[in-house]
Amino acid sequence: FLNRTSFCLLCCRSANKHKPWIETEYQGIVMENDNTVLLNPPLFALDKDAPLHYAGEICGFRVHNGPTGSSSVQFEAVVLDRSTGEGLIRSKEPLDCESQREHSFTIQAYDCGEGPDGANSKKSHKATVHVRVNDVNEFSPVFVERRYEASVPEGRLFDRIVRVEALDADCSPQYSQICFYDIITPNVPFVIDNDGNIKNTEPLDSKRQRVHTFWVTAFDCGKNRAQADAQVVVTVKPSCKPGWIGWSKRVEYTPGSGSIPLFPSLHLETCEETVWNIQATVELQTGHIGKGCDRDSYSDRSVRRLCGAVRGEVDLLPPPSPAANWTSALPTLPSSDSSLVFSFNGSTHVAVVPNSVATAVSGDHFTLQLWMRRGGINTQPPTNQARGNRREEETIVCSTVKNDDSFSHYSLSVHGCRLSLFYWPDVSAARPVKFLWKLEQVCDSEWHHLSLSVQFPSVTLYVDGVTFDPALIHDNGAIPNPAPRQRLVIGACWVTGSVYVGGYRGLLSGVTVRPGSVEPHSVVECLYACREGLDFGDLETLGSGMKVHVNPSQSVLVLEGDDIESFNRAVQQVTYRNSLRFATPGVRPLKLTTSLRCFNEESCLTLRQLEGYLVVLQPDAPQISLSGVGPHLARPAPEFEGPRGVPLFPELRIVCSLSHAVNTAAQGMEGGALMSDAVAHTLDGCEVQPLGEELNPEREELLVDMDALRERGLEIINTTAYIAITGAESISVYEDVLRSVRYRLAKGSARFERRFRLSCSEMNGRYTSNELTLEVNFLHSLDSLYHPSHLLASQQQFLHPSHHSGELSGHTLPNPHRNSVVPGAATVIIMVCVGFLVVMVILGVFRIRSIHRRGEGARGGSKEDSGQWDDSALTIIVNPMESYESRMGISADTEGEGEEDEEVVESPDDANDDQRIIIKKEGRDGNPRRY
């Protein structure tokens, strides 16, 4: 027995010679709701020791960790048939595709060994198993949002109004994808595609239905429907028209308001069109106001004084006069200010300045200033210019000046849109130099001010107060030498004899030259810079990417940006400013031009140009009030004959105020009221004019303190018809100057009455004061006074027919010394006065009797004796203050009281006790006369 057993063991040990064999790789699929893995290829283990018992059988499979080292714990492998080696892989627990879709691990087969105890078993190599978990449609679609909203303009069909979106939590493409959407609300004008895009099927009408509400659902590819449907709300907006909204065609400006926004509620509507650049240009046209824009309304000389300009300029185009006759042949045009505008036609209109004036402005340091407008009225091209030929330069000023033993030459010309200064410091030695500027202002047919400061070799040009740098050119071409003769010409350039070339076509005004140092920039800017224009409110409020540009004359403002909201805020910050207190009223045309750039240039919006106007309202007119004078000034005649005369307006007061409407409703008062505020003003002229006949220079004159005028920079025109004091100065200065105006008479030429009128103005005569009228009375003294009976007896003997009693009546004063010898002239005056008084006495008698009769009728005869006339001891003398007192408001009789027309005044005690003065009271029309 023992030997048999040993033999069997030896045979079995020698029977298990081979290892089991399996495939090297397996692909497996398992469903989420199953644990059996379907392998490809199927799991079979083979052993070459078969059909031996144990050694050729497969006892099991072992599962090892995969590359990740974690998948083996979820799977196991079992043997289904030991003899065939068939096996099965299954999961130990349910699998979730959403958490892990693929698993990898290795398996190894082993045989049963050499006996039932599995001794000396052999293992196969390791094979890789890849298991994919197949998805089960266990989840339904879910919408990203429960409510979708959109707004669209009416009347259009859109490719997409809004897009809805749903998601599915399944892991496979089959069950995780949304296959289609559906609108479950019936009868709505919308459709939805498989991607969730909703569009309208017909144009929407906001009037018929403003808001559309409907529901949509979603299905995945496993035909699972969404757990909850989504709501879609579409709001229909009224039709959108791209353009500016809030444009006001008329903008009003009240003078004195400073800066006001032009477009406070303006905003741009692009109708959801995507734009990446916006540019808006605002243009303010002020060319119709005087010479271009609202500048100071004072005269040029007054403005120069206010701005601190250096004096000494020489007017090359003065108003025609006997002293300045070189401008008499030039045609003139009306101007809105006080300046004189001269017209040049390019051929016959030339002004040759006399050598005496040209010599005063010689030198290589000077400032040339002028107002220029190319073109103009009644200008024709030169007749010698052939059609198609290039137009020659137009010369504005051409000057050849003698400097000791040499000549210098310069000329200012325009050609197209170029301005050039041709300067030749020495025509016999140095080369000419040409300074050139290219300016739009030269050829825009508008008024512009040019100020050329020459301090050779430095030249500075100011156009409307703005500096422009030149391009310096050495002109080496063939240039004819100027004739070595001093000559200054306006409107052309002199060649020889009466031949002129380069005629200027246009308008000129205020052409002046001031020799010496050049004008400072601050002064030129003050003189000619516009006081009105476009501006931007607050640069700090500009958004990112916004740009603002304003041209030097502040008539064009350009905004540029890429964000609509920032652009709208910037447009609302565009303002109009006017620094003048009394702005020129009128209309300023206003334009707004907009250009848009879009990503799709073909469908980009195009906006039309907007046109409107700015209306500058009439400013509150200042009231210039003259008071404290007259209306009468009575002084003894010898005072007027003194060396200094008599001051006419010693207590003159000038007050300037503004009257404006005040709303009193807020104060509990009904209606409105006018308030007057005193303001500090600057007058620019006052005039003293004798009324009636002009002053006789042989026996009367008006005196003014010339030192005070020169000290304050004022100018005076003193003629026999008027005295005009001009220049911009304060009210206090004009008060001091006018208080010093004196009236002086020559010895023995005193009259009995002279009337003067005083008036003042500001803003170049735009606002005038009241007219203050002063009557000057001369008090005459007589050496003796005769009794009326003696005078009446000899009236015909002394009365001379050449004297006018009407002129001399009521202006003689009796002398208390009776026995003095009366000179011939005084006797004649006395006789004329006595004759006039006799007539007045007779008229007085009839007047008193008529009053007495009326009094008796009214009082029933209560005063019977009041009408008796007692002339037994009546002495009548002339009242020297008759004209003065009668015009001081002494009335003839009171209303309804029956008082007499004559008032009896007792004479002083040192005079004759029986003398009485009868004063005749006359009415007077106090209304001033205008001239």
Side-chain angles (χ1 to χ4, degrees):
F1 177 78
L2 179 60
N3 291 332
R4 186 181 305 135
T5 305
S6 298
F7 176 77
C8 292
L9 290 173
L10 181 61
C11 292
C12 292
R13 184 178 299 114
S14 61
N16 192 12
K17 297 180 179 180
H18 301 92
K19 296 179 180 180
W21 178 88
I22 58 176
E23 298 286 345
T24 59
E25 186 175 16
Y26 294 91
Q27 300 290 336
I29 298 175
V30 63
M31 302 299 294
E32 280 185 322
N33 55 1
D34 194 3
N35 62 348
T36 301
V37 179
L38 301 177
L39 291 178
N40 181 26
L43 180 58
F44 286 91
L46 302 178
D47 197 321
K48 291 183 179 182
D49 293 328
L52 293 178
H53 190 54
Y54 297 112
E57 297 177 350
I58 302 301
C59 282
F61 295 93
R62 291 180 183 177
V63 178
H64 300 279
N65 291 334
T68 60
S70 60
S71 298
S72 61
V73 297
Q74 299 182 4
F75 296 89
E76 63 179 357
V78 297
V79 178
L80 298 180
D81 189 347
R82 297 175 64 175
S83 61
T84 61
E86 181 181 2
L88 175 67
I89 297 178
R90 60 189 177 190
S91 62
K92 299 178 182 179
E93 57 187 20
L95 299 176
D96 187 6
C97 176
E98 285 71 35
S99 61
Q100 186 173 354
R101 188 175 181 181
E102 293 185 352
H103 302 266
S104 296
F105 53 91
T106 61
I107 62 174
Q108 191 177 29
Y110 60 93
D111 58 17
C112 296
E114 297 178 353
D117 56 352
N120 197 24
S121 63
K122 294 185 180 294
K123 300 177 182 179
S124 68
H125 63 274
K126 292 182 180 179
T128 303
V129 180
H130 299 282
V131 178
R132 186 177 73 239
V133 181
N134 274 3
D135 186 24
V136 176
N137 194 11
E138 57 185 330
F139 295 102
S140 298
V142 178
F143 281 98
V144 176
E145 297 186 21
R146 296 296 303 275
R147 180 185 174 93
Y148 294 88
E149 295 182 0
S151 299
V152 294
E154 64 180 355
R156 292 173 57 186
L157 291 175
F158 297 90
D159 294 334
R160 186 180 73 177
I161 295 176
V162 65
R163 182 179 183 271
V164 299
E165 183 180 8
L167 301 176
D168 196 301
D170 290 312
C171 66
S172 64
Q174 180 182 3
Y175 300 127
S176 64
Q177 290 184 359
I178 307 300
C179 278
F180 63 93
Y181 296 87
D182 189 23
I183 298 177
I184 60 178
T185 303
N187 302 323
V188 292
F190 300 95
V191 293
I192 187 171
D193 59 14
N194 293 338
D195 293 328
N197 297 315
I198 298 176
K199 63 180 180 180
N200 57 327
T201 58
E202 61 183 36
L204 304 178
D205 188 356
S206 62
K207 296 179 181 178
R208 185 173 61 185
Q209 186 172 354
R210 182 69 182 273
V211 179
H212 295 267
T213 304
F214 52 93
W215 296 85
V216 297
T217 189
F219 294 89
D220 61 16
C221 294
K223 296 186 179 180
N224 273 0
R225 181 176 172 176
Q227 293 179 353
D229 301 325
Q231 186 184 37
V232 180
V233 179
V234 178
T235 302
V236 183
K237 297 186 299 183
S239 58
C240 177
K241 295 181 179 179
W244 291 102
I245 299 177
W247 170 262
S248 179
K249 188 174 183 180
R250 174 188 173 97
V251 181
E252 291 187 354
Y253 177 79
T254 302
S257 302
S259 297
I260 63 167
L262 291 175
F263 321 112
S265 59
L266 190 65
H267 64 278
L268 181 62
E269 176 61 58
T270 60
C271 297
E272 300 184 356
E273 180 72 29
T274 304
V275 297
W276 64 273
N277 183 268
I278 313 170
Q279 182 173 313
T281 303
V282 183
E283 299 179 60
L284 181 69
Q285 300 179 20
T286 58
H288 66 289
I289 304 173
K291 293 193 177 77
C293 65
D294 221 348
R295 296 180 171 89
D296 276 322
S297 301
Y298 293 100
S299 63
D300 289 343
R301 290 182 178 271
S302 298
V303 173
R304 292 184 60 82
R305 172 172 170 76
L306 292 175
C307 292
V310 181
R311 303 176 189 175
E313 69 275 3
V314 177
D315 194 353
L316 301 184
L317 287 181
S321 65
N325 59 356
W326 66 89
T327 60
S328 58
L330 296 177
T332 58
L333 301 176
S335 176
S336 58
D337 52 18
S338 62
S339 60
L340 199 59
V341 177
F342 294 91
S343 176
F344 293 82
N345 62 0
S347 56
T348 59
H349 297 163
V350 177
V352 180
V353 182
N355 290 339
S356 59
V357 178
T359 304
V361 294
S362 60
D364 56 357
H365 289 190
F366 61 90
T367 299
L368 174 65
Q369 299 184 1
L370 56 97
W371 286 98
M372 179 187 71
R373 179 182 176 185
R374 293 283 299 280
I377 303 176
N378 297 330
T379 57
Q380 300 294 333
T383 56
N384 59 354
Q385 178 179 335
R387 184 176 180 180
N389 290 350
R390 186 177 179 182
R391 180 174 294 179
E392 62 181 3
E393 288 188 349
E394 302 176 23
T395 304
I396 301 175
V397 178
C398 183
S399 176
T400 303
V401 181
K402 181 176 177 56
N403 302 313
D404 297 333
D405 57 348
S406 64
F407 287 87
S408 62
H409 175 83
Y410 74 88
S411 63
L412 182 66
S413 306
V414 289
H415 183 202
C417 292
R418 290 175 174 84
L419 178 74
S420 63
L421 174 67
F422 185 77
Y423 194 82
W424 212 330
D426 188 351
V427 297
S428 60
R431 291 188 306 173
V433 180
K434 193 172 187 180
F435 300 87
L436 187 66
W437 296 266
K438 186 176 181 180
L439 304 169
E440 295 181 0
Q441 293 88 336
V442 176
C443 56
D444 61 0
S445 298
E446 301 290 343
W447 278 107
H448 295 285
H449 182 268
L450 274 62
S451 178
L452 197 66
S453 295
V454 178
Q455 195 169 7
F456 191 78
S458 175
V459 176
T460 305
L461 173 67
Y462 301 94
V463 179
D464 297 331
V466 180
T467 311
F468 290 89
D469 295 328
L472 185 62
I473 297 177
H474 291 273
D475 199 342
N476 296 322
I479 302 173
N481 289 356
R485 177 182 174 185
Q486 182 165 288
R487 181 66 65 93
L488 177 57
V489 181
I490 310 296
C493 200
W494 173 70
V495 178
T496 179
S498 59
V499 178
Y500 299 96
V501 296
Y504 171 73
R505 288 173 289 274
L507 305 178
L508 294 178
S509 178
V511 182
T512 62
V513 174
R514 184 179 54 78
S517 59
V518 299
E519 205 80 82
H521 182 200
S522 58
V523 173
V524 178
E525 187 176 15
C526 172
L527 286 171
Y528 306 106
C530 291
R531 300 296 191 268
E532 65 173 342
L534 300 173
D535 204 351
F536 192 81
D538 188 4
L539 292 175
E540 296 181 357
T541 61
L542 276 177
S544 60
M546 289 296 304
K547 299 178 183 179
V548 179
H549 173 73
V550 184
N551 68 334
S553 61
Q554 293 189 299
S555 61
V556 178
L557 184 144
V558 180
L559 285 173
E560 186 175 358
D562 52 10
D563 181 68
I564 294 180
E565 294 300 327
S566 299
F567 198 87
N568 288 335
R569 290 192 298 268
V571 168
Q572 296 171 5
Q573 292 287 326
V574 177
T575 61
Y576 167 79
R577 59 120 188 101
N578 196 317
S579 59
L580 290 182
R581 176 181 293 176
F582 304 106
T584 304
V587 176
R588 278 78 162 163
L590 192 64
K591 293 182 181 180
L592 176 60
T593 307
T594 311
S595 63
L596 303 176
R597 301 185 67 181
C598 309
F599 293 101
N600 186 1
E601 294 293 339
E602 296 180 357
S603 62
C604 195
L605 302 176
T606 302
L607 304 182
R608 65 180 181 87
Q609 184 184 67
L610 297 180
E611 296 184 359
Y613 53 92
L614 172 75
V615 180
V616 178
L617 303 179
Q618 185 74 33
D620 295 329
Q623 285 80 43
I624 308 173
S625 175
L626 309 181
S627 61
V629 176
H632 298 275
L633 176 66
R635 293 287 187 276
E639 292 187 14
F640 291 94
E641 297 173 352
R644 300 192 59 190
V646 175
L648 294 179
F649 317 106
E651 299 179 358
L652 176 66
R653 291 180 61 249
I654 305 177
V655 177
C656 192
S657 61
L658 280 177
S659 296
H660 53 89
V662 176
N663 185 10
T664 56
Q667 305 174 3
M669 302 170 59
E670 296 182 357
L674 284 178
M675 297 292 291
S676 182
D677 299 332
V679 292
H681 273 236
T682 301
L683 300 181
D684 62 0
C686 288
E687 182 177 290
V688 180
Q689 179 186 14
L691 299 181
E693 58 186 38
E694 297 182 2
L695 296 177
N696 187 345
E698 296 181 357
R699 58 186 181 91
E700 56 183 341
E701 62 179 338
L702 289 174
L703 304 177
V704 183
D705 189 351
M706 299 302 297
D707 293 335
L709 289 177
R710 284 191 292 268
E711 180 181 354
R712 279 135 178 179
L714 299 179
E715 300 179 356
I716 184 172
I717 301 176
N718 194 345
T719 66
T720 59
Y722 64 91
I723 285 183
I725 302 172
T726 59
E729 260 299 349
S730 63
I731 289 179
S732 60
V733 170
Y734 268 93
E735 283 182 338
D736 294 341
V737 172
L738 292 174
R739 288 170 183 171
S740 67
V741 175
R742 296 173 173 269
Y743 179 55
R744 190 172 68 86
L745 295 172
K747 291 291 185 178
S749 59
R751 300 177 53 176
F752 293 91
E753 181 181 285
R754 167 62 87 175
R755 300 174 68 220
F756 294 94
R757 179 166 56 198
L758 171 65
S759 63
C760 295
S761 66
E762 68 170 325
M763 296 292 177
N764 204 21
R766 181 174 170 186
Y767 302 109
T768 58
S769 69
N770 61 311
E771 294 181 347
L772 194 64
T773 303
L774 175 67
E775 182 176 296
V776 179
N777 298 111
F778 310 94
L779 305 183
H780 299 271
S781 61
L782 301 181
D783 293 336
S784 63
L785 182 65
Y786 292 93
H787 194 276
S789 60
H790 302 158
L791 296 176
L792 288 173
S794 58
Q795 179 178 2
Q796 299 297 329
Q797 179 180 356
F798 293 97
L799 184 61
H800 196 280
S802 64
H803 290 275
H804 302 280
S805 60
E807 179 184 357
L808 304 176
S809 62
H811 294 278
T812 55
L813 180 66
N815 194 305
H817 304 284
R818 297 184 176 213
N819 298 326
S820 301
V821 179
V822 180
T827 303
V828 173
I829 294 173
I830 293 173
M831 297 302 298
V832 172
C833 294
V834 169
F836 178 77
L837 288 179
V838 169
V839 175
M840 290 191 59
V841 168
I842 297 174
L843 295 176
V845 171
F846 286 105
R847 174 82 173 169
I848 294 173
R849 290 183 177 178
S850 62
I851 294 174
H852 177 66
R853 285 194 295 268
R854 290 196 302 270
E856 287 181 347
R859 296 184 294 270
S862 60
K863 297 182 180 181
E864 296 178 356
D865 299 334
S866 62
Q868 296 179 356
W869 180 260
D870 184 10
D871 58 353
S872 58
L874 179 63
T875 301
I876 302 173
I877 63 174
V878 177
N879 176 21
M881 301 292 288
E882 174 190 340
S883 298
Y884 176 73
E885 293 187 2
S886 64
R887 287 161 175 77
M888 290 298 290
I890 305 177
S891 60
D893 59 345
T894 58
E895 296 182 0
E897 294 182 359
E899 294 183 1
E900 297 180 354
D901 275 18
E902 289 82 14
E903 178 182 352
V904 180
V905 181
E906 295 293 339
S907 61
D909 293 337
D910 57 351
N912 295 331
D913 295 336
D914 58 349
Q915 289 183 348
R916 297 186 179 184
I917 302 175
I918 298 178
I919 303 174
K920 178 173 176 59
K921 305 161 196 176
E922 300 175 348
R924 177 177 173 84
D925 183 8
N927 296 327
R929 291 191 305 168
R930 301 185 65 86
Y931 63 96

